[in-house]
Amino acid sequence: MLDKNIQLAAQWIKTAQHTIVFTGAGISVESGIPPFRGEGGLWNNYNPQCVELGYFTRNPKTSWPILKEIFYDFMGKAHPNPAHIALAKLEKTGHIKWLITQNIDALHQSAGTKNISEYHGTIDTLHCRLCLKQIQATDLKWKPFPPVCFDCGGPLKPDFVFFGEMIPVKTMETSLGHAQIADLIIVIGSTGEVMPAAMLPGVVKHNGGRVIEINIEPSNYTENLSDCFLKGKASEILQRLTNAVLNE
Ligand code: APR
């Protein structure tokens, strides 16, 4: 059954005009980064209030040790896995036109993907909340702690989107624009629980496009939205799918 579905999905990818990809935390699990929800999910062990804008602003000393541990000590040191690499290859061969990721780990770019919207921002940079200076995460010395602006000493905030924070307008517009013209979307490793990102596959479907989903278990999309559900690990399924598309 899986083999048959991979062949079907490959056929759709070969014939679509504007295929886009939507990824969530599941694609980075095989790079050693735990997902947020489900088995081994970060939010089972950490309180997500550390990434709520209001809480973070009022309690930097409680939030920062958790942010540092999750997003800088750990996530910042991960490498792309075969799933990220397969998607970069499909972009290069012209089969994928745009990729929208909810992930902030920059692993798609490390794998070579160029046409990308980082819907929830990135861990790569931070900015000063007073003078707005942008700082590279690799330049952080972590002393003093919590870290402060190199120029004015103001508080720093990572450039990923916190709960209670707006998605940058340009990112929203670009992502929505691609979803509106896509005739195929490949949804990989997302529970589909966090809005507004979670609505993007629905936009494609609403406009008559098809939905391929890759996940180790059913998500919010599987029952109502997915036309072809490929159950399994992102790296394994995407390598097989890429081979089928490229006849390798
Ligand atoms: N291959 C494919 N899918 C996997 C794998 C794997 N190896 N491992 C786990 N998954 C699936 C899980 O079954 C789950 O459906 O990945 C999904 C991860 O879901 P979430 O942790 O909810 O991740 P995501 O949907 O990206 O979360 C959305 O929530 O906290 C916020 O800002 C954060 O961008 C994030 C947003």
Side-chain angles (χ1 to χ4, degrees), residues 22-30 34-39 41-43 48 51 101-104 120 161 163 188-194 197 213-219 232-235:
F22 178 66
T23 64
I27 196 165
S28 294
V29 165
E30 289 159 82
F36 293 99
R37 298 169 191 80
E39 206 189 309
L42 285 168
W43 300 149
V51 289
T101 187
Q102 296 169 91
N103 300 342
I104 58 176
H120 289 156
V161 177
F163 290 124
I188 306 161
S190 179
T191 46
E193 285 186 18
V194 174
E213 183 184 13
I214 300 171
N215 201 310
I216 52 167
E217 61 186 22
S219 72
K233 290 184 177 175
S235 64

Side-chain angles (χ1 to χ4, degrees), residues 14-212:
K14 283 198 241 183
T15 52
Q17 299 299 309
H18 196 92
T19 298
I20 64 171
V21 177
F22 178 66
T23 64
I27 196 165
S28 294
V29 165
E30 289 159 82
S31 292
I33 301 174
F36 293 99
R37 298 169 191 80
E39 206 189 309
L42 285 168
W43 300 149
N44 303 336
N45 298 322
Y46 296 93
N47 193 333
Q49 70 184 7
C50 65
V51 289
E52 277 170 27
L53 192 60
Y55 183 88
F56 170 76
T57 305
R58 289 188 303 275
N59 305 285
K61 286 193 173 146
T62 329
S63 298
W64 261 110
I66 301 173
L67 294 181
K68 181 173 181 292
E69 188 178 329
I70 299 180
F71 298 109
Y72 296 98
D73 294 348
F74 196 56
M75 194 181 274
K77 296 194 171 65
H79 298 287
N81 68 54
H84 299 103
I85 292 163
L87 291 176
K89 194 168 178 182
L90 286 176
E91 179 190 89
K92 216 169 176 187
T93 55
H95 292 93
I96 290 173
K97 299 289 190 273
W98 200 261
L99 190 152
I100 301 158
T101 187
Q102 296 169 91
N103 300 342
I104 58 176
D105 54 31
L107 292 182
H108 286 298
Q109 294 94 320
S110 302
T113 289
K114 305 247 179 307
N115 301 328
I116 185 166
S117 294
E118 292 178 296
Y119 208 82
H120 289 156
T122 178
I123 52 169
D124 280 353
T125 56
L126 306 91
H127 71 270
C128 171
R129 299 188 83 185
L130 290 185
C131 75
L132 303 182
K133 179 186 170 76
Q134 195 176 59
I135 285 173
Q136 296 297 317
T138 44
D139 291 338
L140 282 179
K141 302 282 182 285
W142 301 108
K143 272 181 190 156
F145 188 76
V148 292
C149 177
F150 304 161
D151 279 358
C152 76
L156 296 181
K157 180 194 166 289
D159 284 337
F160 52 82
V161 177
F162 280 38
F163 290 124
E165 197 174 17
M166 287 279 293
I167 308 293
V169 174
K170 194 167 175 293
T171 308
M172 262 222 285
E173 282 176 359
T174 305
S175 306
L176 189 60
H178 281 283
Q180 280 168 335
I181 57 169
D183 52 355
L184 180 64
I185 185 167
I186 311 171
V187 180
I188 306 161
S190 179
T191 46
E193 285 186 18
V194 174
M195 286 296 198
M199 59 148 199
L200 290 166
V203 173
V204 178
K205 183 85 172 185
H206 180 77
N207 288 330
R210 285 179 169 135
V211 180
I212 297 170

